[in-house]
Amino acid sequence: MSTTTTEKHTFQAEIQQLLELVVHSLYTDKDIFLRELISNASDSMEKVRHLEGTEKHFKDAGADLQITLELDKDAKTITLTDRGVGMTREELVANLGTIAHSGTKAFLEQMKETGGSPAGLIGQFGVGFYSAFMVADKVEVFSRSWKEGAENLRWESDGKTGYEIEETEELPRGVRIVLHLNEKSADFAEEYKVKGLITRYSNFVGFPILLDGKRINEVEALWLKNKSEITDEEYKAFYQFAGKAFDEPTYRLHFSADAPIAINALIFVPGENPEKMGFGKVDAGVALYCKKVLIDPEPKGLLPEWLRFVKGVVDSADLPLNISRETMQDSALVRKLNGVITKRIIKMFEKEAAGDPDKYRAFYKKFERFLKEGIATDYANKDALAKLLRFETSMTEAGVVCGLVDYVARMKEGQETIHFIVGRSRDEIESGPYVEAFKARGLEVIYFTDAVDEYVVDSLSEFEGKKLSSIRHAGVELEDVDGAGEALSEEQMDGLCAFLQETLGDAVTKVSGGKRLVDSPVIALVPQDGMSPQIRQMMKAMDENFKDKPKVELELNPRHPLVKKLAEARVSQPEIAKLVASQLLDNALISAGLLDDARETIRRMNSLMEKAMS
Ligand code: ADP
């Protein structure tokens, strides 16, 4: 190496924005820079462990896999060295000069909108390395890759507009980062301070961390230890470390099994829903190990998609070390792991729900969408998941919830169907005409009030052999009950139905006298294969040209005074009777949430009022 050339690069525009934010708005989070750098070092050494198992010609195996930190108070520097895979020139440019992660872009947008981030989000978004510029006004990265013929390189930047790369003296494999601390951050060169950060954030890193020659962290594979030897505090610390989290875990599941496959698993349910702030889908959060060697930090297919919110570790001694990430999803072993662990997690939810319903309720409020996604997408587990649903019903008090198991236990003798209705809220459902007939017969109706419930019940279709059926639909057979007042005769009803059918024409598929209603004169029923109001709303929202005249069946209440009056009026005052007929249909459509255009309704109302007063 006779001459060295220095390459100058400018940061990608997004990186500049990111740095701007990291340095200015995230100031309060600046403690985390060390965690980020240590975690990068550790990831890189995990790759070395993996290569040792898979690459025959991997050189320099057996080198001390450890992270060393050196502090220099006078020079105000922190030097962090790892023996990981290092980076080539191309990798330095790609990894430390551009944003590859879509998550980082989402993070940037969120930051711009809110003008700040709740503590702890940096790590989740992999802003990682750049957090060094929160404490340093100059960062040097010395790097030599594990690859054949790799250069000895020095990367340097002030974290403003760009960086330089040049060849440097002979280096060992790995990365050495030198942070030149800025004025305000000089105290990070103090031993007590750095030691505090390591024990707080990086205690479970799977490699020794040495600070000025002294070992600081405990290297423990907590998931392989005996449950009785682990305290709640240790579990929590491990959760926060493994899940890059700052909240308390809600539930945890720690188990081992030998058959049908060897598993040691330690899984946590977070305290907060990671997708709730509009950040979009999170990646899989349970890492896959084989005898303490990391195989994949975000394995796809290890757990079903809907379980992406859980965090933790699965270690299986049965996995081949060289399993490739690409084919993992297709591996029979991984499928087996998936099956066993998913069932254990669902069982845990069931147990927790029974043991502490209030706690489960709080969890459910935050995470119900994941469980529902499971019902709709995870065929093998949907029945087990259905048991985890919670809802109010016509028999619970407002605000009190129960599950399908409770519902089935309360079913009347001979009841074969689980009745439900999807609506916006309990109030809206109860003020409509649908529930009254079921209440009068002592039949319980489930109130589903979440926008996605329509799809959930659709994919469920039955529970423990009992069909789920919407009470908005026609064709529900109900036994007769004696209502107050005399009913119109069958003959009178036939005449009235024929009159309505003729007056309303296409707008109704059928008009009949029914047994359902108690207090309302008429009800609009959606045909069995018809579109529900919720689905129609969605279609309308998605397509402004959506036009669909809802086809409904009308069911009349033969005991209702209005119906009786109409039966007379169709003979004595046919003109008014026609207006009333149309108005009855519109009223029923409004109650059903199916009336799209009310202009005609209002005109007719006005004319009816006029006639009523003349
Ligand atoms: P993240 O760690 O979330 O990927 P970073 O910005 O911290 O984001 O790092 C970007 C990339 O730079 C890493 O994915 C890794 O490929 C590379 N990198 C960072 N630090 C090291 C290191 N110590 N050794 C090897 N590669 C590293």
Side-chain angles (χ1 to χ4, degrees):
M1 190 171 57
S2 51
T3 53
T4 62
T5 45
T6 304
E7 275 180 15
K8 285 194 191 299
H9 298 256
T10 42
F11 284 122
Q12 194 189 23
E14 273 106 340
I15 295 275
Q16 295 191 29
Q17 286 174 14
L18 184 66
L19 282 164
E20 182 79 5
L21 280 166
V22 165
V23 176
H24 296 109
S25 346
L26 302 178
Y27 196 63
T28 47
D29 282 341
K30 76 178 181 175
D31 268 8
I32 61 113
F33 78 93
L34 192 63
R35 183 193 74 175
E36 296 300 318
L37 298 181
I38 288 178
S39 134
N40 281 346
S42 163
D43 288 351
S44 175
M45 293 197 296
E46 295 275 11
K47 287 179 195 156
V48 166
R49 267 194 192 154
H50 202 254
L51 288 170
E52 283 175 346
T54 54
E55 285 277 323
K56 278 199 203 75
H57 308 294
F58 190 77
K59 283 214 192 100
D60 204 14
D64 278 348
L65 291 183
Q66 59 184 28
I67 299 165
T68 59
L69 278 155
E70 280 142 26
L71 308 177
D72 187 332
K73 265 200 281 191
D74 300 327
K76 289 190 274 171
T77 59
I78 302 181
T79 304
L80 189 149
T81 310
D82 68 58
R83 303 298 318 278
V85 289
M87 282 178 274
T88 61
R89 189 182 287 264
E90 291 71 33
E91 286 166 340
L92 279 171
V93 172
N95 296 335
L96 307 186
T98 53
I99 292 191
H101 310 267
S102 55
T104 312
K105 287 195 177 130
F107 172 80
L108 266 177
E109 262 140 42
Q110 180 74 15
M111 292 286 297
K112 265 188 261 167
E113 266 168 39
T114 60
S117 111
L121 283 181
I122 299 188
Q124 283 182 23
F125 286 92
V127 185
F129 171 77
Y130 304 102
S131 59
F133 291 102
M134 292 196 273
V135 295
D137 43 27
K138 182 169 114 184
V139 176
E140 291 174 283
V141 178
F142 296 84
S143 168
R144 189 166 69 79
S145 162
W146 68 281
K147 288 175 188 156
E148 197 72 41
E151 297 171 282
N152 299 297
L153 298 167
R154 183 178 153 281
W155 178 102
E156 183 197 306
S157 173
D158 60 3
K160 293 200 171 81
T161 53
Y163 56 92
E164 293 173 4
I165 300 177
E166 62 179 19
E167 283 202 43
T168 182
E169 83 277 356
E170 181 78 14
L171 298 169
R173 187 199 69 229
V175 162
R176 181 171 93 232
I177 296 180
V178 184
L179 305 180
H180 298 265
L181 297 169
N182 60 34
E183 224 32 75
K184 282 192 194 132
S185 307
D187 56 339
F188 281 108
E190 300 278 355
E191 190 188 300
Y192 81 95
K193 187 119 192 194
V194 172
K195 195 173 161 187
L197 293 185
I198 296 170
T199 41
R200 176 140 167 244
Y201 294 121
S202 307
N203 204 23
F204 293 101
V205 166
F207 300 93
I209 302 174
L210 281 78
L211 175 58
D212 289 333
K214 279 184 299 249
R215 168 81 170 268
I216 304 291
N217 65 326
E218 298 170 29
V219 184
E220 268 187 316
L222 204 66
W223 60 93
L224 297 180
K225 280 181 73 174
N226 213 316
K227 275 194 221 185
S228 58
E229 292 161 18
I230 309 172
T231 65
D232 284 350
E233 272 311 302
E234 283 174 305
Y235 273 127
K236 179 180 149 190
F238 183 76
Y239 159 72
Q240 295 187 333
F241 166 73
K244 294 185 180 164
F246 286 73
D247 55 354
E248 298 254 347
T250 308
Y251 299 128
R252 71 165 182 257
L253 175 66
H254 187 180
F255 75 94
S256 56
D258 294 320
I261 183 167
I263 300 178
N264 283 285
L266 176 51
I267 287 167
F268 297 90
V269 175
E272 295 303 328
N273 176 349
E275 293 181 2
K276 80 167 177 217
M277 285 174 287
F279 280 130
K281 271 192 175 180
V282 292
D283 291 323
V286 175
L288 184 59
Y289 284 75
C290 168
K291 293 184 228 155
K292 295 199 269 187
V293 177
L294 182 66
I295 297 193
D296 191 339
E298 294 167 353
K300 292 206 171 57
L302 175 62
L303 291 178
E305 193 53 30
W306 64 270
L307 270 173
R308 61 189 177 276
F309 64 99
V310 300
K311 310 268 187 191
V313 169
V314 167
D315 192 324
S316 174
D318 288 345
L319 282 175
L321 244 185
N322 61 359
I323 185 167
S324 94
R325 292 187 188 165
E326 289 69 43
T327 59
M328 231 182 58
Q329 246 172 310
D330 307 323
S331 141
L333 284 170
V334 172
R335 270 203 304 277
K336 246 186 221 163
L337 284 172
N338 180 321
V340 175
I341 301 163
T342 305
K343 287 208 167 55
R344 292 291 283 251
I345 295 177
I346 295 175
K347 267 254 142 54
M348 167 192 73
F349 284 135
E350 220 182 302
K351 229 175 96 199
E352 297 284 357
D356 187 345
D358 288 342
K359 184 173 173 193
Y360 180 72
R361 180 96 199 272
F363 153 77
Y364 188 81
K365 275 191 179 147
K366 294 179 197 162
F367 293 91
E368 62 182 309
R369 285 289 176 91
F370 292 100
L371 305 180
K372 290 174 178 177
E373 186 183 322
I375 293 176
T377 57
D378 186 353
Y379 192 80
N381 292 302
K382 78 174 180 185
D383 292 332
L385 278 167
K387 290 189 189 157
L388 301 176
L389 290 174
R390 290 295 177 268
F391 39 74
E392 297 185 24
T393 79
S394 56
M395 289 190 182
T396 61
E397 276 170 48
V400 179
V401 294
C402 65
L404 280 167
V405 174
D406 309 296
Y407 181 100
V408 170
R410 284 197 289 260
M411 280 171 85
K412 287 178 75 174
E413 236 191 85
Q415 184 184 342
E416 285 304 321
T417 308
I418 299 174
H419 301 290
F420 73 86
I421 181 165
V422 182
R424 255 194 289 263
S425 66
R426 183 182 186 106
D427 273 357
E428 189 209 79
I429 290 170
E430 295 203 322
S431 62
Y434 293 95
V435 183
E436 57 185 51
F438 292 81
K439 273 197 172 159
R441 290 165 179 82
L443 291 169
E444 185 167 15
V445 178
I446 296 174
Y447 298 166
F448 284 121
T449 51
D450 184 359
V452 302
D453 285 341
E454 189 79 39
Y455 297 100
V456 177
V457 277
D458 240 16
S459 31
L460 204 54
S461 83
E462 60 169 51
F463 178 73
E464 295 186 350
K466 315 260 191 269
K467 202 170 162 310
L468 279 108
S469 162
S470 166
I471 64 169
R472 285 183 197 274
H473 281 151
V476 179
E477 298 287 335
L478 293 174
E479 67 193 55
D480 204 358
V481 282
D482 286 335
E486 208 168 313
L488 289 174
S489 73
E490 216 165 287
E491 207 188 329
Q492 287 168 311
M493 278 307 284
D494 286 348
L496 179 58
C497 291
F499 165 75
L500 283 167
Q501 180 76 67
E502 195 190 314
T503 312
L504 304 174
D506 269 5
V508 292
T509 52
K510 187 176 159 194
V511 184
S512 60
K515 300 167 184 168
R516 288 200 190 210
L517 296 171
V518 183
D519 298 322
S520 312
V522 64
I523 191 171
L525 299 170
V526 182
Q528 282 293 354
D529 58 351
M531 211 185 274
S532 76
Q534 283 68 32
I535 304 270
R536 286 188 81 249
Q537 288 292 346
M538 300 231 357
M539 306 277 287
K540 268 166 59 184
M542 288 187 303
D543 175 6
E544 52 184 280
N545 296 318
F546 175 79
K547 288 242 162 28
D548 156 71
K549 261 197 125 195
K551 291 244 183 306
V552 294
E553 273 185 49
L554 280 189
E555 195 172 305
L556 301 176
N557 178 355
R559 290 191 174 88
H560 198 280
L562 183 54
V563 174
K564 292 197 228 167
K565 277 248 164 70
L566 185 60
E568 282 167 26
R570 82 179 167 91
V571 186
S572 56
Q573 296 170 279
E575 282 320 302
I576 291 201
K578 276 185 192 159
L579 286 177
V580 171
S582 300
Q583 193 61 37
L584 265 184
L585 170 63
D586 281 7
N587 289 359
L589 290 175
I590 291 171
S591 296
L594 290 171
L595 190 80
D596 290 333
D597 185 350
R599 283 173 297 185
E600 180 55 31
T601 320
I602 291 166
R603 241 176 272 139
R604 190 186 317 112
M605 274 284 269
N606 290 341
S607 118
L608 271 170
M609 287 191 285
E610 217 181 292
K611 288 198 166 48
M613 287 184 287
S614 62

